[in-house]
Amino acid sequence: MTAVSRHYVLAAGGTGGHLIPAFALATELERRGHHVALITDTRGAAIPGKPASLPAHVLPAGRVEGMNPIGWIKGARGIMEGRRMALRLFESFQPSAVVGFGGYPALPALLAARSARLPALIHEQNAVLGRVNRFMAGRVDAIATGFGEVDRLSPRYAHKVTLVGNPVRDEVLALREQPFPPFTADGLLRILVTGGSQGARVLSEVVPDGLAMLPPALRSRLQVIQQCRPEDIETVRERYAQHGIPAELATYFEDMAERLADAHLFIGRAGASTIAELTAVGRPAILIPLPIATDDHQAANTREIVAAGGARAIRQDKFTATELAKQIQAMAQHPETLANAAHAAWNCGYPNAAADLADLVESFGGAPLMDVIRMGGQHSAKGAEAFALERSE
């Protein structure tokens, strides 16, 4: 626990990609004795995994996009109303700093922090700076990143940037020191397939047929766990049955951490949280970036792990049963190849992401002397002094 208890506001869009790191930071800050509140939208307030102790405040968050001027006006009104409500929350909660995790619901809170002259930080999960974070990059005091290389992040903000990685859930991080599950020349090959919270149709269409094209000696050893869309699950079940491949299918797995712990190979999308969990645990992967992701950020997310040898990426327009079988065979034909890829993925992980992000957050908004006492000096004092200097200019 820290020497002084503070209040912090976290603001995030309503998707898991924005909220998973926010929840991890909230848990870490509460562990240190702080009080935390969340600003999000209706989706975020209801999303599974929110810490029970974390109060969620739903604020208006208009979207300013497209070519319709009427839409711009409505969006701007929503943003300003959200900003006013955030300011009222700040008056009662008195936060020491506000942390934005991207998504339009984060924008009003960050604008309110600027108006109230509160320290403001942003955390970018993806390897491309998102729209809200891009807009606020010049207006905040610090920028934390999940990847070492982030596109659309201007070099003029380099002095604000700290690489922390993407925080992951405690139950996933606990698997980091467990060894890669034994994989032998005649043992089972356990494959985990997911496509996000609702599954991905392209995975349901391609993966069963791709696995069926593997050489018989490898195909006979398969054990598949796959998350599917509700409307696809019976069709996928029939395909696996036709191919004689044992597969456990569901629309949602509550014990996903345990499934990941047992897996030898992951097949799925390349969201920032997915990459963070794969690298935290050390699991080889075949990644199919979502082609409609904003700024193609999922493709950018694959760069580090692919370059390290921990994963292979296949563009969706090239993602065929033949190509998938080719890539699986290249990775799993020899046990040592898969184990080496697992180790390469593990080396890309940032296991201290939540703690490092919490350290950065704590370095703003407090008395420099208190920070030196708590943190042992340089990092925290530097952050507080930089904040004080910037506010005085």
Side-chain angles (χ1 to χ4, degrees):
M1 182 176 291
T2 60
V4 61
S5 178
R6 298 180 187 164
H7 291 187
Y8 293 102
V9 168
L10 313 185
T15 66
H18 297 305
L19 285 166
I20 288 175
F23 293 163
L25 176 62
T27 300
E28 178 63 24
L29 290 172
E30 289 178 346
R31 188 180 292 136
R32 299 182 183 198
H34 300 303
H35 301 280
V36 185
L38 174 69
I39 289 176
T40 186
D41 57 15
T42 53
R43 294 179 304 163
I47 200 168
K50 185 179 77 66
S53 59
L54 181 63
H57 302 267
V58 176
L59 270 60
R63 299 171 68 94
V64 181
E65 58 184 0
M67 301 298 292
N68 185 349
I70 296 176
W72 297 347
I73 294 171
K74 291 177 63 176
R77 285 175 177 170
I79 291 169
M80 298 313 295
E81 177 59 22
R83 174 181 166 276
R84 285 190 290 270
M85 293 176 67
L87 284 169
R88 289 198 293 269
L89 173 63
F90 296 169
E91 289 177 1
S92 60
F93 193 65
Q94 297 186 342
S96 294
V98 177
V99 187
F101 287 85
Y104 281 95
L107 182 56
L110 291 168
L111 293 174
R114 182 172 172 83
S115 297
R117 299 183 65 81
L118 290 169
L121 303 83
I122 56 175
H123 178 268
E124 177 55 57
Q125 300 86 52
N126 292 299
V128 180
L129 199 65
R131 290 177 181 175
V132 168
N133 283 348
R134 202 179 310 156
F135 177 75
M136 293 301 303
R139 299 168 171 83
V140 297
D141 303 289
I143 301 169
T145 63
F147 291 88
E149 180 184 352
V150 179
D151 297 344
R152 308 199 72 167
L153 176 56
S154 173
R156 67 179 181 272
Y157 303 135
H159 66 287
K160 299 183 181 184
V161 175
T162 300
L163 171 60
V164 299
N166 279 309
V168 299
R169 298 168 292 164
D170 284 346
E171 59 267 33
V172 173
L173 191 58
L175 303 173
R176 183 166 176 82
E177 300 309 319
Q178 294 186 14
F180 185 62
F183 176 60
T184 62
D186 56 358
L188 288 175
L189 173 60
R190 292 189 291 271
I191 296 179
L192 175 63
V193 186
T194 75
S197 59
Q198 295 299 319
R201 175 159 291 168
V202 68
L203 298 175
S204 295
E205 293 172 346
V206 173
V207 174
D209 294 343
L211 296 180
M213 296 179 68
L214 292 171
L218 189 57
R219 187 176 67 229
S220 64
R221 297 155 51 202
L222 291 175
Q223 188 176 76
V224 180
I225 296 173
Q226 183 164 346
Q227 180 191 39
C228 304
R229 293 159 58 100
E231 60 269 34
D232 297 336
I233 192 166
E234 291 306 320
T235 299
V236 177
R237 197 185 310 278
E238 290 177 7
R239 283 193 181 184
Y240 277 118
Q242 290 171 1
H243 296 315
I245 297 174
E248 179 183 352
L249 310 179
T251 58
Y252 179 75
F253 292 105
E254 292 186 1
D255 57 345
M256 187 59 77
E258 295 179 18
R259 307 289 180 154
L260 187 59
D262 290 338
H264 295 113
L265 179 64
F266 172 88
I267 302 173
R269 293 302 194 190
S273 294
T274 296
I275 301 292
E277 293 192 350
L278 291 171
T279 56
V281 179
R283 291 297 178 270
I286 295 174
L287 302 169
I288 303 88
L290 179 67
I292 61 171
T294 305
D295 298 318
D296 201 21
H297 67 255
Q298 286 204 3
N301 290 348
T302 69
R303 287 188 304 227
E304 184 177 350
I305 189 172
V306 169
R312 296 175 181 231
I314 306 174
R315 286 286 191 173
Q316 185 161 310
D317 60 348
K318 306 293 186 184
F319 184 56
T320 63
T322 301
E323 181 63 21
L324 176 61
K326 173 184 172 183
Q327 297 299 337
I328 293 174
Q329 190 171 355
M331 295 184 76
Q333 191 169 17
H334 303 290
E336 64 273 15
T337 304
L338 208 57
N340 289 340
H343 186 66
W346 190 90
N347 281 336
C348 292
Y350 295 91
N352 299 319
D356 289 346
L357 181 57
D359 287 349
L360 180 64
V361 170
E362 283 187 321
S363 73
F364 289 92
L369 178 61
M370 192 77 261
D371 284 332
V372 172
I373 292 172
R374 181 180 66 255
M375 298 289 295
Q378 289 184 331
H379 175 76
S380 165
K382 179 181 177 182
E385 288 167 2
F387 171 72
L389 178 62
E390 184 170 332
R391 291 300 181 187
S392 66
E393 291 177 347

